[in-house]
Amino acid sequence: MSARRCSRTACGRAAVNTLTYVYADQTAVLGPLATYAEPHAYDLCDVHSERLSAPRGWEVLRLAPDTSAKGPSSDDLLALADAVREAARPAPEPVPVTGGDDPSRGVKRGHLRVLQSE
């Protein structure tokens, strides 16, 4: 995995912060480097993060990184465990079509019907 670089033209320094805009609130938000590069966000190095200014009338919101976080939090680990449990849960058994429907047409699963290939 290669390090992301500053989005500013001709700057080759490593990015340490991510800049996003909330146009409706006229706010520029500068926070810790995002996990993934987003198309509508700008990754900035230390120098360009410090020099950041916003248009007149706009507010700059600087979010400080959480220095106490050393790796995943307990919330992150619980969310991961829940996702693993959900993925490991067996799929529900298909309910055979009953009533006036032709059972040879397929199997009903909830509000959807799976048609058998002929």
Side-chain angles (χ1 to χ4, degrees):
M1 180 174 149
S2 63
R4 296 197 327 243
R5 298 286 173 205
C6 182
S7 297
R8 296 295 300 259
T9 304
C11 182
R13 291 185 281 275
V16 294
N17 292 312
T18 297
L19 172 67
T20 56
Y21 294 102
V22 182
Y23 292 97
D25 296 333
Q26 293 185 333
T27 304
V29 181
L30 183 69
L33 188 62
T35 306
Y36 300 103
E38 297 290 333
H40 300 290
Y42 302 91
D43 295 335
L44 300 176
C45 64
D46 279 333
V47 173
H48 288 115
S49 295
E50 291 173 13
R51 292 183 187 168
L52 176 71
S53 64
R56 183 173 297 163
W58 281 55
E59 179 183 357
V60 176
L61 180 61
R62 296 178 186 268
L63 304 175
D66 185 6
T67 56
S68 65
K70 304 247 191 280
S73 70
S74 61
D75 289 341
D76 294 336
L77 295 175
L78 288 173
L80 180 60
D82 289 341
V84 169
R85 277 190 221 104
E86 183 67 28
R89 189 171 292 150
E93 290 294 320
V95 178
V97 177
T98 59
D101 292 329
D102 180 9
S104 66
R105 296 275 324 208
V107 176
K108 186 174 181 181
R109 293 184 181 162
H111 66 280
L112 302 175
R113 182 177 312 245
V114 178
L115 298 177
Q116 303 293 331
S117 60
E118 300 193 41

